[in-house]
Amino acid sequence: MEYFFYGLAGVFLVFQALYTVIPLLCSKVKKLNAELDEKSISVLVPAYNEELTIRNCIDAMAGLHYSNYEIMIINDGSKDGTMSTLDELLDLQPDDRLANNKLTYKPIKGFYRSNLYHHIYVIDKQNGGKADSLNAGIDYAASDIVITLDADSMLEADSLKYVNQYFHDDDIIALGGTVKIVQGAVRDENGAIVEKFRGKGLIKSQIINYTHGFYVRKLTQSHFNSIVVISGAFGAFYKDVLVHVAGFRSTVGEDIDITLKIHEYIKANRLKKKLVYAPEAVCYTECPENLQNFYKQRIRWQKAFVDCILIYWSRLSQKFSVSVSLFFAIDGFMLGTLSAFTTIFYLGQTLIFGGNLLHAILFLLISVLLNAAQVIISLYLCRKYGSTYTFMDYMRMFLFSQVELLTYRNLLLYINIAGTFKYFDNDEGWGFVERKGVATISQNIAAGSN
């Protein structure tokens, strides 16, 4: 086991070196090209018991700087007042649009269009889960490009313009945007979003985690065309590709599954296509504010990863590119899940039976230094891509990240282990996490596009 741990540590250092160097060398901010034709976009928002958050989502989309788009909210048999809230906000009336009948999903109870905002539609359907709702939205969508958005996500005003710009590259068939934590983000007197590093320690930890995860990890994976997961909070796809891969699978982690299905589709059809990360396209999401909801969310994420490991592992080498296989199997599984078990085992063995404690301390110090370097890089890129934190905020973020490494990060170690075991509970529901719907970048619902 000791030699296995050393081997794993060596692989860990190789990947951490990539995550340190590649973002610095390969990050380039795209300037917005206002001259490009607007491709048609359908924004799909699956909603289950979202009466507290759906207003913020609609508010934010009312202020988008884009014209050729529609919003389709899919009410998945909510048990709260989601549907009545939608009717109150949108003044719904029945619409006669027909589905394409290319995908399967639970029966539709009604299809509606807003009288106030003619680009907003609502699908009311029987409960079938998030993937089922997305499939219904895809089947009714009128656009070539579909964006999947969580009901608590709020798009930044230029986000669709950046999505449109990326899709003018014919090699791109799917992309993921940047997801930021909305707690702490406010609008100033001019309507501009101002980000502040504030709130509970758990919220600050997630801000650090998201900043590092997107600006360091996603940028690196995008460079190698090996993005393993396009976040369900904000992803964009060509509709015909989603239809070709039979849509979203009803599972605990539909976002990682659809990403892998698209990679598999690319390899099977020998396409020279890419899944990329678009850092300039931004949405904000409300993160869990207490340990109970944080635990539920991260357990669900880990269960999703284990699910896809079991399904795709046997065909990685034959049906996926080398880069996707390496990042999924080694960086994702070996360094993400397996290392959690080996680390606990190795530390326990060292403390109980004795061992080379010097090696353990040395590896810990190297990990701390690499983490510090990557946090600095992520904060630099955060600033480079337009974030509005103050210099003092960045200083606080760095200092907090060093404390977070030995506190909240250890909680994630435990969650990786617990989530792996809990996967076998066979719970594939929405994995509902309580949202308060208080934090928002939105203003009041603006005048709709008629």
Side-chain angles (χ1 to χ4, degrees):
M1 176 59 73
E2 183 175 351
Y3 291 110
F4 179 77
F5 179 81
Y6 289 150
L8 205 60
V11 174
F12 169 81
L13 293 177
V14 170
F15 273 89
Q16 295 311 305
L18 288 176
Y19 283 129
T20 304
V21 175
I22 296 299
L24 275 178
L25 297 181
C26 302
S27 60
K28 185 178 180 181
V29 180
K30 281 186 180 292
K31 291 184 178 180
L32 198 58
N33 185 352
E35 304 300 319
L36 292 175
D37 293 335
E38 289 188 349
K39 294 177 178 287
S40 62
I41 296 176
S42 294
V43 182
L44 310 183
V45 185
Y48 176 72
N49 292 349
E50 296 284 359
E51 64 176 334
L52 296 179
T53 59
I54 199 66
R55 177 189 293 270
N56 294 338
C57 183
I58 296 171
D59 281 359
M61 286 190 285
L64 293 176
H65 300 158
Y66 206 76
S67 58
N68 191 14
Y69 77 107
E70 65 178 10
I71 301 165
M72 196 165 297
I73 301 169
I74 306 103
N75 178 45
D76 189 50
S78 296
K79 296 179 181 178
D80 66 353
T82 298
M83 193 63 193
S84 59
T85 299
L86 288 170
D87 193 19
E88 176 187 341
L89 293 173
L90 303 173
D91 186 17
L92 299 175
Q93 67 174 10
D95 189 85
D96 58 2
R97 183 186 297 189
L98 299 177
N100 292 317
N101 296 318
K102 297 289 182 65
L103 300 174
T104 58
Y105 41 85
K106 294 291 185 180
I108 304 299
K109 294 190 288 185
F111 185 85
Y112 305 92
R113 186 176 189 175
S114 171
N115 273 324
L116 303 178
Y117 314 96
H118 290 173
H119 62 301
I120 301 181
Y121 299 84
V122 171
I123 298 175
D124 188 24
K125 61 183 288 292
Q126 292 183 11
N127 181 261
K130 186 176 180 181
D132 191 80
S133 298
L134 288 171
N135 288 340
I138 294 165
D139 217 28
Y140 275 90
S143 305
D144 299 326
I145 297 169
V146 296
I147 288 177
T148 61
L149 200 70
D150 284 347
D152 64 311
S153 295
M154 291 154 271
L155 291 173
E156 191 272 331
D158 287 326
S159 55
L160 294 193
K161 283 185 174 291
Y162 280 112
V163 168
N164 176 65
Q165 185 162 319
Y166 272 88
F167 275 109
H168 272 78
D169 181 342
D170 292 335
D171 291 336
I172 294 174
I173 62 172
L175 64 83
T178 299
V179 182
K180 295 184 177 184
I181 302 299
V182 72
Q183 285 95 326
V186 296
R187 287 189 182 273
D188 63 17
E189 60 276 9
N190 298 317
I193 298 172
V194 178
E195 295 165 294
K196 298 179 183 294
F197 186 62
R198 64 185 186 185
K200 301 176 183 178
L202 183 61
I203 293 175
K204 290 179 178 178
S205 173
Q206 291 173 88
I207 292 174
I208 297 294
N209 184 259
Y210 274 55
T211 302
H212 175 270
F214 283 94
Y215 291 119
V216 168
R217 297 183 68 85
K218 293 290 187 191
L219 268 174
T220 302
Q221 293 172 11
S222 183
H223 176 72
F224 292 106
N225 193 18
S226 58
I227 290 178
V228 176
V229 53
I230 292 178
S231 173
F234 185 18
F237 313 83
Y238 274 116
K239 184 175 71 172
D240 62 345
V241 173
L242 295 177
V243 171
H244 279 303
V245 300
F248 288 81
R249 179 171 66 92
S250 290
T251 178
V252 69
E254 66 290 324
D255 49 3
I256 184 171
D257 183 74
I258 197 68
T259 308
L260 293 172
K261 284 170 72 174
I262 294 173
H263 279 301
E264 195 173 25
Y265 168 78
I266 291 172
K267 180 71 179 291
N269 292 277
R270 299 180 180 179
L271 303 175
K272 293 183 178 180
K273 300 293 183 179
K274 298 184 295 184
L275 287 76
V276 301
Y277 165 51
E280 303 88 352
V282 174
C283 86
Y284 290 82
T285 190
E286 182 180 334
C287 72
E289 295 190 358
N290 57 56
L291 286 175
Q292 180 183 5
N293 281 304
F294 177 79
Y295 177 80
K296 286 166 61 178
Q297 181 194 66
R298 297 308 173 100
I299 285 288
R300 183 177 186 273
W301 291 2
Q302 179 62 16
K303 289 168 69 174
F305 184 76
V306 173
D307 180 64
C308 287
I309 280 288
L310 294 176
I311 289 174
Y312 293 99
W313 183 267
S314 63
R315 55 186 196 258
L316 276 177
S317 59
Q318 291 83 23
K319 297 191 175 183
F320 292 86
S321 68
V322 173
S323 59
V324 172
S325 299
L326 289 175
F327 274 90
F328 183 61
I330 298 178
D331 182 49
F333 176 63
M334 291 182 64
L335 301 181
T337 297
L338 191 60
S339 65
F341 290 89
T342 56
T343 299
I344 295 297
F345 184 88
Y346 178 76
L347 290 176
Q349 183 186 51
T350 301
L351 293 173
I352 297 172
F353 301 106
N356 198 326
L357 190 60
L358 180 62
H359 286 180
I361 293 173
L362 182 62
F363 179 71
L364 176 62
L365 289 175
I366 293 173
S367 299
V368 169
L369 290 174
L370 281 171
N371 177 75
Q374 289 182 16
V375 169
I376 291 173
I377 291 168
S378 69
L379 297 180
Y380 162 72
L381 294 174
C382 184
R383 182 71 175 178
K384 181 177 179 179
Y385 282 102
S387 288
T388 55
Y389 292 111
T390 64
F391 176 77
M392 287 305 300
D393 274 332
Y394 284 119
M395 290 295 296
R396 293 187 191 99
M397 291 167 81
F398 175 75
L399 293 174
F400 184 87
S401 71
Q402 302 312 294
V403 177
E404 187 259 357
L405 181 65
L406 301 175
T407 52
Y408 292 104
R409 197 75 61 87
N410 288 326
L411 175 60
L412 291 177
L413 189 72
Y414 165 74
I415 288 175
N416 279 351
I417 294 172
T420 301
F421 287 116
K422 282 183 172 293
Y423 166 75
F424 299 98
D425 291 345
N426 295 320
D427 177 14
E428 297 184 356
W430 273 78
F432 185 73
V433 175
E434 179 187 4
R435 310 290 191 188
K436 295 182 178 179
V438 175
T440 178
I441 61 166
S442 309
Q443 298 166 308
N444 293 329
I445 293 181
S449 300
N450 295 317

